Amino acid sequence: MGLSSYISLKDVVFSRSGRRIFNGVSAEIPRGKITAIMGPSGSGKTTLLRLIGGQLRQDSGSILVDGHSISELRRKELYKFREKMGMLFQSGALFTDLSVYENVAFPMRVHTKLPEDMIHDIVLMKLEAVGLRGARKLMPSELSGGMNRRVALARSIALDPELIMYDEPFAGQDPIGMGVLVKLIRDLNSSMGLTSVLVSHDVKESLSICHYACIIADGKVIGTGTPAELQDHPSEQVQQFLNGHPDGPVPFHYPSSAASEDFGLSGGVS
Amino acid sequence: MIDRIASLGHSGVDFIISFGHAGRFLAGVLSGVPRPATGFPLLMKQLYSVGVLSLAIIVVSGLFIGMVLGLQGYTILSDFGSEAAIGQMIALTLVRELGPVVTALLFAGRAGSALTAEIGLMKATEQLSSMEMMGVDPLRRVIAPRLWAGFIAMPVLAIIFSVVGIWGGMLVGVEWLGVFEGSYWGNMQASVDFWDDVINGVIKSVAFGFVCAWIAVYQGYDCVPTSAGISSATTKTVVYSSLAVLGLDFVLTAVMFGNF
């Protein structure tokens, strides 16, 4: 890619419950850019984020984040390292017993010794950035799905991380909510210089904001490049995914025995 | 037949593996020095949740069990003309056995199930994962305060249960059935030994508190993060805690009071 990588995945192999999820995944995620990781449902996109965040450990291969091998960090070092990361979960994952304000203040209260008035100002700035300064007194149960995700975004940038990972940020959003999130992801990346990793299967929205994209299927990377490069990618599987064709390398029909057998036609089906 | 034996073997192995996981989980929770500045407020919050909010059920149950003991004790002892020993009987029954055991069973039903459901729901809604990704260890932040709160609250609740029970027994025995008040308290004072009875009862409730809280937090943390998984984990908490308390009670009673 010609840019320094913030995250480097090399020959990553990972299995869970006897099922091989990744079979030699290699990818470079450039510093300060938005990289979309896309792929069909169940292809292991979220698992990849968890591997990068050190919540799971690969069976073999290496994952370097900012030059550190995540799987080799000790527990305490890993937790310290995660202070440089932010993650937006698909559900938002707000603490339900804390107000919006307290949710955003949480990382600062835990990791810093900032005085209360400074925490107050930072929280309001972060909420202002996501357009929810006026909702600071609400509880998570009083928020809509989109607001919930925006508060979670404000919380994930509370400590000004170097890396932010978005897990299916557009899932279940109405067009307005989706537009707001697209704008926020783009603005945060440009204003804060964050390295952003966006996991999604919303092709249009993801390609509209990412600098690079990486498509995963069948446990490996099947295509990588800029959005323009991917549109012209020679792989049929990449084209099927990007254009949403119902049949192709990923077949419409689930593997089955011959139709003539199931329908009891001895002479075959014409 | 062979299949049944194999299935029994698998169950045994699964149990041992699960016990090993629970032990490793406990070591993770208890390792590390707690920071008083952040840990104390969290502990107080949990003490309120599992301890103070359990007071109502503990007090009401203690009162009725004490009153029932008074009635039953009076009926039996009066046949031998020994109704004056009712205070001794109620106190020893409550302090040695019913106080710690019934408190633990009630605790498992009220606070233990709530702990499991709360932690399980935090897992299902990715709150624990998000905490990890913020560089906050959920074992220290979420699990440890709840475990310690259960451990501390149980003996206090058991003492309150026994005190209220003794008072309930007095209401029935002395106020209602007419046992001489001096006999009620005097016999109790003469027969209940502080170290052999009261402290042994407290030791039992400390052990029960530890076991019940451990089971509750582990089941929540280890549950399958779905509604069915949380439901199953909550049920397991109550069942396993009850069985563990009753089994442990037999062992502790044999050690403390058995004259072998």
Side-chain angles (χ1 to χ4, degrees):
Chain A
M1 286 172 180
L3 291 164
S4 69
S5 297
Y6 189 81
I7 301 170
S8 175
L9 304 157
K10 195 172 179 190
D11 299 326
V12 174
V13 174
F14 179 73
S15 305
R16 188 156 55 181
S17 306
R19 185 183 155 224
R20 181 63 59 92
I21 312 282
F22 297 126
N23 193 13
V25 164
S26 297
E28 301 289 326
I29 293 174
R31 189 182 295 269
K33 302 288 179 188
I34 302 175
T35 303
I37 296 175
M38 296 189 289
S41 299
S43 58
K45 303 182 295 293
T46 301
T47 304
L48 193 63
L49 288 190
R50 290 185 184 274
L51 284 166
I52 293 170
Q55 289 186 302
L56 297 172
R57 291 198 174 199
Q58 71 273 22
D59 301 333
S60 65
S62 72
I63 300 174
L64 297 179
V65 181
D66 198 21
H68 296 84
S69 174
I70 284 292
S71 59
E72 288 171 20
L73 292 178
R74 291 171 175 222
R75 187 180 174 86
K76 203 173 175 183
E77 293 169 336
L78 180 61
Y79 275 97
K80 186 72 188 161
F81 192 76
R82 283 179 181 153
E83 290 175 30
K84 295 202 285 184
M85 298 180 181
M87 182 153 171
L88 178 67
F89 285 83
Q90 191 173 348
S91 63
L94 295 179
F95 303 131
T96 47
D97 57 333
L98 301 180
S99 67
V100 164
Y101 179 95
E102 287 300 328
N103 260 288
V104 180
F106 181 84
M108 285 178 272
R109 292 199 198 287
V110 175
H111 292 305
T112 71
K113 290 180 179 171
L114 293 174
E116 191 53 42
D117 53 348
M118 193 173 286
I119 290 179
H120 176 265
D121 291 349
I122 297 173
V123 170
L124 293 191
M125 281 163 59
K126 300 296 176 188
L127 285 172
E128 176 75 13
V130 299
L132 290 176
R133 185 167 47 85
R136 63 184 179 274
K137 288 181 183 166
L138 297 180
M139 295 301 285
S141 58
E142 297 171 284
L143 303 175
S144 69
M147 290 166 78
N148 189 301
R149 230 165 277 186
R150 284 153 68 188
V151 174
L153 186 54
R155 185 180 65 178
S156 63
I157 56 168
L159 291 175
D160 295 334
E162 294 176 6
L163 166 70
I164 185 158
M165 296 185 278
Y166 302 93
D167 184 11
E168 300 283 8
F170 311 122
Q173 294 294 302
D174 62 34
I176 298 172
M178 209 178 266
V180 168
L181 284 166
V182 166
K183 177 186 180 309
L184 285 173
I185 292 170
R186 188 190 290 130
D187 291 352
L188 284 174
N189 178 259
S190 58
S191 62
M192 296 174 72
L194 295 169
T195 301
S196 308
V197 182
L198 170 68
V199 154
S200 176
H201 48 213
D202 291 290
V203 174
K204 189 174 149 237
E205 285 73 21
S206 301
L207 291 185
S208 72
I209 51 171
C210 74
H211 299 99
Y212 297 98
C214 177
I215 302 179
I216 297 177
D218 301 331
K220 54 186 186 298
V221 175
I222 59 167
T224 181
T226 63
E229 286 167 352
L230 280 176
Q231 295 292 359
D232 299 328
H233 201 279
S235 162
E236 279 185 47
Q237 205 171 347
V238 169
Q239 291 306 324
Q240 184 190 7
F241 177 75
L242 292 181
N243 298 305
H245 296 147
D247 209 353
V250 178
F252 174 73
H253 287 286
Y254 190 80
S256 62
S257 55
S260 56
E261 281 179 34
D262 283 349
F263 289 109
L265 303 171
S266 56
V269 182
S270 59
Chain B
M1 184 64 187
I2 295 293
D3 286 346
R4 283 186 187 174
I5 293 171
S7 163
L8 199 65
H10 278 301
S11 302
V13 170
D14 287 346
F15 174 77
I16 291 167
I17 290 172
S18 172
F19 199 69
H21 285 162
R24 205 169 58 182
F25 165 82
L26 184 65
V29 175
L30 298 179
S31 66
V33 183
R35 277 180 278 181
T38 52
F40 191 70
L42 292 172
L43 178 64
M44 293 307 289
K45 190 177 172 190
Q46 292 308 318
L47 272 175
Y48 175 79
S49 176
V50 303
V52 176
L53 294 182
S54 298
L55 268 177
I57 189 172
I58 292 294
V59 167
V60 173
S61 305
L63 180 68
F64 280 113
I65 285 181
M67 289 165 72
V68 168
L69 281 175
L71 270 176
Q72 291 282 15
Y74 182 86
T75 310
I76 296 165
L77 291 173
S78 61
D79 286 346
F80 305 98
S82 314
E83 61 270 19
I86 191 175
Q88 171 186 356
M89 188 215 77
I90 290 173
L92 287 176
T93 310
L94 282 169
V95 170
R96 285 182 173 189
E97 285 299 330
L98 288 184
V101 172
V102 177
T103 301
L105 296 177
L106 293 171
F107 181 90
R110 206 222 68 98
S113 58
L115 284 176
T116 303
E118 185 189 15
I119 295 168
L121 208 55
M122 287 181 83
K123 185 178 180 182
T125 54
E126 296 182 306
Q127 292 180 52
L128 298 182
S129 282
S130 73
M131 213 173 259
E132 281 182 1
M133 288 307 298
M134 275 185 252
V136 180
D137 188 349
L139 289 183
R140 304 261 173 84
R141 180 86 194 183
V142 175
I143 306 297
R146 286 163 173 78
L147 183 75
W148 284 109
F151 185 58
I152 295 167
M154 183 78 88
V156 178
L157 290 172
I159 290 169
I160 292 170
F161 182 96
S162 295
V163 168
V164 174
I166 290 168
W167 186 71
M170 189 209 68
L171 278 183
V172 170
V174 175
E175 302 295 336
W176 180 19
L177 299 172
V179 172
F180 177 53
E181 191 174 359
S183 307
Y184 187 86
W185 295 114
N187 279 335
M188 193 186 300
Q189 196 177 359
S191 60
V192 176
D193 184 84
F194 180 74
W195 291 105
D196 285 348
D197 301 317
V198 177
I199 293 299
N200 276 340
V202 171
I203 291 171
K204 273 187 176 184
S205 61
V206 167
F208 297 160
F210 183 72
V211 170
C212 287
W214 180 20
I215 290 173
V217 294
Y218 176 68
Q219 288 298 333
Y221 195 77
D222 192 53
C223 75
V224 179
T226 60
S227 48
I230 295 169
S231 158
S232 164
T234 310
T235 307
K236 279 182 189 169
T237 290
V238 177
V239 173
Y240 291 172
S241 298
S242 304
L243 294 177
V245 163
L246 295 172
L248 195 59
D249 182 48
F250 173 76
V251 174
L252 289 174
T253 304
V255 171
M256 290 170 174
F257 303 107
N259 297 314
F260 307 120

